[in-house]
Amino acid sequence: MKKIEAICLLLLISIGCYAQIIPGAIWPDTKGNPVNAHGGGILYYNGTYYWYGEIKQGVTWRVPGSTWENYRVNAGGISCYSSKDLLHWKPEGVALQPVTTDSTSDLHVSKVIERPKVIYNKKTGKFVMWMHIDSQDYSYARSGVAVSDSPEGPFKYIRSVRPNGNMARDMTIFQDDDGDAYHFYSSEENQTMHICKLADDYLSHTGDDRRILVQHAREAPAVCKYNNRFYLFTSGCTGWSPNAASYATADSIMGTWTLHDNPCHGTDADSTYHAQSTYVLPVQGKKDTFIFMADRWNKTNLETSRYIWLPLTFDAEGTPGIQWEDQLMP
Ligand code: GAL
């Protein structure tokens, strides 16, 4: 942390009044440490929000011999924070622990554990986490699943898969109102997105697997439903470096998806405000209120990456819009 950032953080904590979300700023948790939950997603359960994300901690290095900007930190597992108001986040510890001993484990610190998303299964009473699991060179390209009896974890890792035999990297999970859940994943060397319906227990994939945005090279998927239409926000594929977002729409989730332009407006819209999508959060109790969540990666010092949360609004035609705000009151 830079000195000036540390001073600001102390100031905020001492006056106890970070009453707004400040996109791009250090976000202190209720113990005063910066929230460490990157590539994250949020579960709302029983009156509480749970934020899960990648723990990025320690030295960032570039994987030797990589032809692209393959910067990484040791995989730190998945964190969990809880909040009632989306502003104050209580650290709930490490929801999914990395493995330090067995180097063949999917969760070994040398591996990639990214973009966790958790949903609750009403039928089984289990919390199910899906995440991107990879090798350091990203050739493993799989999705991992873990399960827990409580939202804070500990989550028990089950296995990783290539859904229906397909490569799977950046991903999200969308749970529809009827309880059906869908896995969106960048596949085919990140050139084509897939949507696959999960089995009723959410622990495996069905054969209902659809190719969308074929050859459009989109990743970092984030999905929401508004007025019975489905919206999929994505980034282009430029690693940790930001690029312009785009969105796609469909009237049924396994139907035809149409790709549209950038939903961001104003200064820095062409780089998604120097960030990359990770999740769209429906704010509870506020009809049609959504927050677009993104990561502002700092590729050479990943631990200091920040969060960009901005309002996602829809006009009368259902066109989504994202605009920069210096402060956000959820
Ligand atoms: C991005 C991806 C991130 C991370 C990064 C590694 O394209 O969205 O989640 O995998 O590449 O360079």
Side-chain angles (χ1 to χ4, degrees):
M1 203 187 306
K2 286 191 204 129
K3 202 170 170 193
I4 185 77
E5 288 180 336
I7 293 168
C8 292
L9 184 60
L10 278 173
L11 206 65
L12 285 170
I13 295 159
S14 60
I15 54 180
C17 76
Y18 38 99
Q20 309 241 319
I21 295 170
I22 305 174
I26 293 177
W27 198 336
D29 66 21
T30 53
K31 286 193 175 157
N33 299 308
V35 170
N36 197 335
H38 308 274
I42 291 189
L43 164 76
Y44 183 74
Y45 176 74
N46 226 354
T48 301
Y49 294 97
Y50 295 89
W51 179 356
Y52 303 89
E54 304 157 19
I55 300 177
K56 297 258 184 263
Q57 220 158 43
V59 182
T60 300
W61 80 93
R62 189 170 173 171
V63 174
S66 55
T67 51
W68 51 291
E69 290 190 309
N70 191 1
Y71 289 103
R72 51 170 289 105
V73 293
N74 269 357
I78 304 302
S79 57
C80 175
Y81 294 82
S82 66
S83 175
K84 297 273 186 202
D85 60 6
L86 294 174
L87 275 171
H88 302 89
W89 291 95
K90 175 175 170 242
E92 299 286 358
V94 182
L96 180 72
Q97 289 284 349
V99 169
T100 49
T101 43
D102 177 8
S103 64
T104 65
S105 164
D106 280 359
L107 302 183
H108 188 252
V109 290
S110 62
K111 303 285 171 61
V112 167
I113 309 172
E114 291 181 339
R115 298 190 176 271
K117 304 290 175 282
V118 174
I119 50 174
Y120 175 64
N121 191 307
K122 272 194 187 139
K123 288 182 195 150
T124 62
K126 303 278 183 196
F127 297 83
V128 179
M129 177 189 291
W130 280 93
M131 71 212 94
H132 172 196
I133 294 287
D134 229 314
S135 47
Q136 253 180 46
D137 64 358
Y138 285 81
S139 62
Y140 196 44
R142 293 166 82 91
S143 304
V145 60
V147 73
S148 168
D149 290 327
S150 61
E152 314 83 34
F155 280 78
K156 190 176 173 299
Y157 190 70
I158 304 176
R159 62 174 176 282
S160 69
V161 289
R162 279 196 167 185
N164 293 300
N166 303 311
M167 296 176 95
R169 293 202 181 104
D170 279 11
M171 54 145 280
T172 196
I173 300 287
F174 179 77
Q175 189 180 37
D176 207 349
D177 309 324
D178 59 5
D180 287 345
Y182 299 85
H183 183 199
F184 287 67
Y185 61 98
S186 290
S187 192
E188 306 176 32
E189 294 293 2
N190 297 343
Q191 294 307 296
T192 294
M193 188 74 64
H194 280 232
I195 308 175
C196 186
K197 190 171 177 213
L198 295 177
D200 282 352
D201 62 5
Y202 303 162
L203 299 178
S204 62
H205 291 78
T206 66
D208 198 359
D209 193 310
R210 210 192 146 102
R211 301 174 76 217
I212 65 163
L213 316 185
V214 175
Q215 292 294 320
H216 280 292
R218 308 303 300 172
E219 63 179 9
V223 182
C224 71
K225 189 177 182 179
Y226 168 76
N227 252 351
N228 285 323
R229 272 180 114 194
F230 297 90
Y231 292 79
L232 164 63
F233 299 85
T234 56
S235 75
C237 297
T238 54
W240 301 116
S241 303
N243 55 56
S246 71
Y247 74 98
T249 52
D251 290 328
S252 81
I253 197 159
M254 287 304 214
T256 305
W257 284 82
T258 309
L259 190 59
H260 306 274
D261 213 347
N262 191 350
C264 301
H265 301 289
T267 309
D268 295 330
D270 57 352
S271 69
T272 320
Y273 317 104
H274 308 286
Q276 186 185 31
S277 45
T278 185
Y279 196 70
V280 173
L281 172 66
V283 179
Q284 297 299 316
K286 289 193 182 173
K287 195 172 180 296
D288 300 336
T289 306
F290 298 90
I291 295 175
F292 174 78
M293 291 169 50
D295 294 286
R296 184 177 279 175
W297 302 114
N298 180 358
K299 64 185 170 194
T300 54
N301 187 356
L302 285 163
E303 185 176 348
T304 63
S305 300
R306 304 276 175 247
Y307 314 104
I308 304 296
W309 288 24
L310 294 170
L312 165 66
T313 54
F314 294 89
D315 71 11
E317 278 78 49
T319 306
I322 299 164
Q323 198 96 36
W324 178 262
E325 306 248 344
D326 289 335
Q327 297 194 334
L328 174 64
M329 190 66 197

